[in-house]
Amino acid sequence: MGFFNLFGNKTDTKEPTVFEKIKQAVRQTQENFTEKVQDLVVGRKEIDRDMLDELEAIMIGADIGVTTTEEILDSIRDQVTRKTLEDPAQLRSAIKAELRKILSINDTAPKEIADSGPFVILMVGVNGVGKTTTIGKLANRFRSEGKSVMLCAADTFRAAAIEQLEVWSTRSNVPLIKQKPGADPSAVLYDGLQSAKAKKIDVVIVDTAGRLHTKHNLMSELEKMTRIAKREVAGAPHEVLLVLDATTGQNGLTQAKEFTRSAGVTGLVLTKLDGTAKGGVVTAIARELKIPIRFVGVGEKIDDLVEFSAEDFVESLFAA
Ligand SMILES: Nc1nc2c(ncn2[C@@H]2O[C@H](COP(=O)(O)OP(=O)(O)OP(=O)(O)O)[C@@H](O)[C@H]2O)c(=O)[nH]1
Ligand SMILES: [Mg+2]
């Protein structure tokens, strides 16, 4: 990272940089997308219709989504017609520019954590997407930035959910507020917020259930929790982060639309980017939901969470 020791050698920090982490996580997507684009243009003299048809198939295969793919191809066809794009070797950079444009729409900075009263983050999403893991990673991140953090076990539907959060609370060394399995999630949230206010905690991260008896129950529970948070802490919930599993591709979009309706989602976390060859879904999600992607999960370990940046994502996808 630019630190040099007394002898002028670069100090050997084994920690991968944020960029290296994303690059590693998109390796499968790179094979499935960027390398195929490269194979498509190599040795070709002109951009023709066949080439663009093949490009379309590659993009859809990388889960960029039909609508988003069409939008990108329209722009590329237009550039070809106007002869501003003729050389197949330039196709890569044209695609890169299009992806960057789409992804930057939502590239807004996360909300500032103010000094006054707890900053409340509600984590929502269907079961198994990585909510609890992401909470642990976020807790660790905020704590290492010098913030005091508290976790709130409002997924009371499964006994194991509370235990899993407890493991992450120990691992990230932050306190946890919990009740018995089956307790009213809103009551746990209420407790958590009282305790956080009394202890002047900076950030409260709330785990919620991914599944209840019915989808309707789940959504009305989230609405109720949002109301409680609003009543107990001014401006809360400051962030409602919807966690989406990148490996489920376009299904995530359907889930996201439902949560957005009921839970007032303010940001997205896309997990398991490291486990998919279809990382193009990031683009489809950014374009269709118009909600900022805050973080991406790039592995199962505590520091496998990076802040999302359109620039880094696109660069890593096209990096050698
Ligand atoms: N490879 C990889 N695995 C991840 C990532 N994030 C979470 N996981 C794994 O996904 C699985 C589910 O994660 P959880 O955090 O338990 O998911 P959850 O949303 O809390 O699930 P429920 O509590 O059942 O609703 C675990 O095995 C995690 O290790 C990631 O970024 N990359
Ligand atoms: Mg969980």
Side-chain angles (χ1 to χ4, degrees), residues 126-134 137 155 158 161 164 210 271-274 297-300 304:
V126 303
N127 54 298
V129 289
K131 289 183 298 299
T132 307
T133 309
T134 305
K137 292 172 177 177
D155 177 0
R158 294 183 307 120
Q164 279 160 3
T271 58
K272 311 185 198 179
L273 196 62
D274 56 304
V298 295
E300 294 186 276
D304 287 336

Short mmCIF file of all heavy atoms in Angstrom, two decimals, residues 126-134 137 155 158 161 164 210 271-274 297-300 304, ligand 1:
data_model
loop_
_atom_site.label_atom_id
_atom_site.label_comp_id
_atom_site.label_asym_id
_atom_site.label_seq_id
_atom_site.Cartn_x
_atom_site.Cartn_y
_atom_site.Cartn_z
N VAL A 126 -34.46 -12.84 1.89
CA VAL A 126 -34.99 -14.20 2.08
C VAL A 126 -33.94 -15.10 2.72
O VAL A 126 -32.76 -14.72 2.81
CB VAL A 126 -35.51 -14.83 0.75
CG1 VAL A 126 -36.58 -13.96 0.11
CG2 VAL A 126 -34.38 -15.10 -0.22
N ASN A 127 -34.37 -16.28 3.18
CA ASN A 127 -33.46 -17.12 3.94
C ASN A 127 -32.29 -17.65 3.09
O ASN A 127 -32.44 -17.94 1.92
CB ASN A 127 -34.20 -18.28 4.61
CG ASN A 127 -35.00 -19.08 3.64
OD1 ASN A 127 -35.92 -18.56 3.01
ND2 ASN A 127 -34.64 -20.33 3.47
N GLY A 128 -31.15 -17.68 3.75
CA GLY A 128 -29.97 -18.26 3.12
C GLY A 128 -29.15 -17.33 2.24
O GLY A 128 -28.12 -17.73 1.70
N VAL A 129 -29.57 -16.09 2.09
CA VAL A 129 -28.85 -15.20 1.18
C VAL A 129 -27.52 -14.67 1.77
O VAL A 129 -26.64 -14.22 1.03
CB VAL A 129 -29.70 -13.98 0.74
CG1 VAL A 129 -30.80 -14.40 -0.21
CG2 VAL A 129 -30.26 -13.23 1.93
N GLY A 130 -27.42 -14.74 3.11
CA GLY A 130 -26.19 -14.26 3.73
C GLY A 130 -26.37 -13.06 4.65
O GLY A 130 -25.42 -12.33 4.91
N LYS A 131 -27.57 -12.90 5.20
CA LYS A 131 -27.82 -11.75 6.09
C LYS A 131 -26.92 -11.79 7.32
O LYS A 131 -26.24 -10.82 7.62
CB LYS A 131 -29.28 -11.75 6.57
CG LYS A 131 -30.31 -11.39 5.54
CD LYS A 131 -31.71 -11.36 6.14
CE LYS A 131 -32.15 -12.69 6.69
NZ LYS A 131 -32.22 -13.76 5.69
N THR A 132 -26.97 -12.93 8.04
CA THR A 132 -26.25 -13.01 9.31
C THR A 132 -24.74 -12.86 9.09
O THR A 132 -24.06 -12.15 9.83
CB THR A 132 -26.60 -14.34 10.01
OG1 THR A 132 -28.02 -14.43 10.08
CG2 THR A 132 -26.03 -14.40 11.41
N THR A 133 -24.24 -13.51 8.07
CA THR A 133 -22.82 -13.42 7.75
C THR A 133 -22.44 -11.97 7.46
O THR A 133 -21.41 -11.47 7.95
CB THR A 133 -22.51 -14.29 6.51
OG1 THR A 133 -23.03 -15.59 6.74
CG2 THR A 133 -21.03 -14.38 6.24
N THR A 134 -23.27 -11.30 6.68
CA THR A 134 -22.98 -9.91 6.32
C THR A 134 -23.02 -9.01 7.55
O THR A 134 -22.22 -8.07 7.67
CB THR A 134 -23.98 -9.42 5.25
OG1 THR A 134 -23.93 -10.31 4.13
CG2 THR A 134 -23.65 -8.02 4.77
N LYS A 137 -19.75 -9.32 9.24
CA LYS A 137 -18.71 -8.61 8.49
C LYS A 137 -18.84 -7.10 8.69
O LYS A 137 -17.83 -6.40 8.86
CB LYS A 137 -18.85 -8.92 6.99
CG LYS A 137 -18.53 -10.37 6.59
CD LYS A 137 -18.90 -10.56 5.11
CE LYS A 137 -18.56 -11.94 4.58
NZ LYS A 137 -19.00 -12.09 3.17
N ASP A 155 -34.30 -12.00 14.36
CA ASP A 155 -34.77 -13.20 13.67
C ASP A 155 -35.01 -14.23 14.76
O ASP A 155 -34.11 -14.96 15.16
CB ASP A 155 -33.74 -13.72 12.66
CG ASP A 155 -34.20 -15.01 11.98
OD1 ASP A 155 -35.32 -15.50 12.30
OD2 ASP A 155 -33.47 -15.55 11.13
N ARG A 158 -36.22 -18.87 14.01
CA ARG A 158 -35.44 -20.11 14.17
C ARG A 158 -34.50 -19.92 15.35
O ARG A 158 -33.80 -18.91 15.44
CB ARG A 158 -34.59 -20.38 12.93
CG ARG A 158 -35.34 -20.68 11.67
CD ARG A 158 -34.36 -21.01 10.54
NE ARG A 158 -33.36 -19.97 10.36
CZ ARG A 158 -32.05 -20.15 10.46
NH1 ARG A 158 -31.56 -21.35 10.77
NH2 ARG A 158 -31.21 -19.16 10.27
N ALA A 161 -30.95 -19.28 14.41
CA ALA A 161 -30.62 -17.96 13.88
C ALA A 161 -29.96 -17.11 14.96
O ALA A 161 -28.99 -16.38 14.70
CB ALA A 161 -31.87 -17.26 13.36
N GLN A 164 -26.45 -18.38 15.57
CA GLN A 164 -25.53 -17.98 14.51
C GLN A 164 -25.09 -16.53 14.68
O GLN A 164 -23.92 -16.20 14.49
CB GLN A 164 -26.18 -18.16 13.14
CG GLN A 164 -26.13 -19.59 12.63
CD GLN A 164 -27.17 -19.88 11.55
OE1 GLN A 164 -27.91 -19.00 11.12
NE2 GLN A 164 -27.24 -21.13 11.13
N GLY A 210 -35.74 -14.43 7.43
CA GLY A 210 -35.85 -14.50 5.98
C GLY A 210 -37.11 -15.24 5.59
O GLY A 210 -37.51 -15.29 4.43
N THR A 271 -24.30 -10.67 -2.11
CA THR A 271 -23.37 -11.65 -1.54
C THR A 271 -22.97 -12.71 -2.57
O THR A 271 -23.61 -12.84 -3.61
CB THR A 271 -24.01 -12.38 -0.35
OG1 THR A 271 -25.19 -13.03 -0.81
CG2 THR A 271 -24.35 -11.43 0.78
N LYS A 272 -21.95 -13.46 -2.24
CA LYS A 272 -21.50 -14.65 -2.98
C LYS A 272 -21.11 -14.35 -4.42
O LYS A 272 -21.27 -15.19 -5.30
CB LYS A 272 -22.57 -15.76 -2.92
CG LYS A 272 -23.09 -16.01 -1.50
CD LYS A 272 -24.04 -17.16 -1.42
CE LYS A 272 -24.85 -17.10 -0.12
NZ LYS A 272 -25.81 -18.18 0.03
N LEU A 273 -20.61 -13.16 -4.63
CA LEU A 273 -20.11 -12.80 -5.96
C LEU A 273 -19.00 -13.77 -6.36
O LEU A 273 -18.80 -14.05 -7.55
CB LEU A 273 -19.59 -11.36 -5.94
CG LEU A 273 -19.38 -10.69 -7.28
CD1 LEU A 273 -20.70 -10.59 -8.04
CD2 LEU A 273 -18.77 -9.31 -7.12
N ASP A 274 -18.30 -14.28 -5.34
CA ASP A 274 -17.21 -15.22 -5.58
C ASP A 274 -17.72 -16.59 -6.03
O ASP A 274 -16.94 -17.40 -6.52
CB ASP A 274 -16.39 -15.40 -4.29
CG ASP A 274 -17.27 -15.83 -3.11
OD1 ASP A 274 -18.25 -15.12 -2.81
OD2 ASP A 274 -16.98 -16.88 -2.51
N GLY A 297 -20.36 -9.16 -1.16
CA GLY A 297 -19.73 -10.24 -0.41
C GLY A 297 -18.84 -11.03 -1.35
O GLY A 297 -19.27 -11.43 -2.43
N VAL A 298 -17.58 -11.21 -0.94
CA VAL A 298 -16.63 -11.89 -1.83
C VAL A 298 -16.05 -13.16 -1.20
O VAL A 298 -15.01 -13.64 -1.62
CB VAL A 298 -15.50 -10.92 -2.27
CG1 VAL A 298 -16.06 -9.79 -3.12
CG2 VAL A 298 -14.75 -10.35 -1.08
N GLY A 299 -16.72 -13.68 -0.18
CA GLY A 299 -16.24 -14.89 0.47
C GLY A 299 -16.93 -15.06 1.82
O GLY A 299 -17.76 -14.24 2.21
N GLU A 300 -16.56 -16.12 2.54
CA GLU A 300 -17.25 -16.42 3.79
C GLU A 300 -16.56 -15.83 5.02
O GLU A 300 -17.11 -15.87 6.12
CB GLU A 300 -17.36 -17.94 3.95
CG GLU A 300 -18.26 -18.57 2.90
CD GLU A 300 -18.49 -20.04 3.16
OE1 GLU A 300 -17.63 -20.85 2.75
OE2 GLU A 300 -19.51 -20.38 3.78
N ASP A 304 -14.33 -10.54 4.14
CA ASP A 304 -14.71 -10.72 2.74
C ASP A 304 -15.94 -9.88 2.36
O ASP A 304 -16.93 -10.41 1.83
CB ASP A 304 -15.00 -12.21 2.44
CG ASP A 304 -13.72 -13.02 2.40
OD1 ASP A 304 -12.66 -12.44 2.14
OD2 ASP A 304 -13.79 -14.25 2.64
N1 LIG B 1 -18.92 -17.77 -0.84
C1 LIG B 1 -19.64 -16.94 -0.09
N2 LIG B 1 -20.49 -17.44 0.81
C2 LIG B 1 -21.22 -16.59 1.56
C3 LIG B 1 -21.11 -15.17 1.39
N3 LIG B 1 -21.98 -14.59 2.27
C4 LIG B 1 -22.59 -15.59 2.94
N4 LIG B 1 -22.15 -16.80 2.53
C5 LIG B 1 -22.57 -18.14 2.99
O1 LIG B 1 -23.97 -18.30 2.76
C6 LIG B 1 -24.55 -19.17 3.74
C7 LIG B 1 -25.79 -18.54 4.33
O2 LIG B 1 -25.42 -17.39 5.06
P1 LIG B 1 -26.27 -16.80 6.29
O3 LIG B 1 -25.56 -15.58 6.71
O4 LIG B 1 -26.54 -17.83 7.30
O5 LIG B 1 -27.60 -16.43 5.54
P2 LIG B 1 -28.95 -15.80 6.17
O6 LIG B 1 -29.52 -14.89 5.15
O7 LIG B 1 -28.69 -15.25 7.51
O8 LIG B 1 -29.86 -17.11 6.26
P3 LIG B 1 -31.16 -17.35 7.19
O9 LIG B 1 -30.80 -16.96 8.59
O10 LIG B 1 -31.41 -18.82 7.03
O11 LIG B 1 -32.27 -16.53 6.65
C8 LIG B 1 -23.44 -19.44 4.74
O12 LIG B 1 -22.88 -20.68 4.47
C9 LIG B 1 -22.41 -18.33 4.47
O13 LIG B 1 -21.11 -18.70 4.80
C10 LIG B 1 -20.21 -14.67 0.39
O14 LIG B 1 -20.06 -13.46 0.13
N5 LIG B 1 -19.51 -15.60 -0.32
#
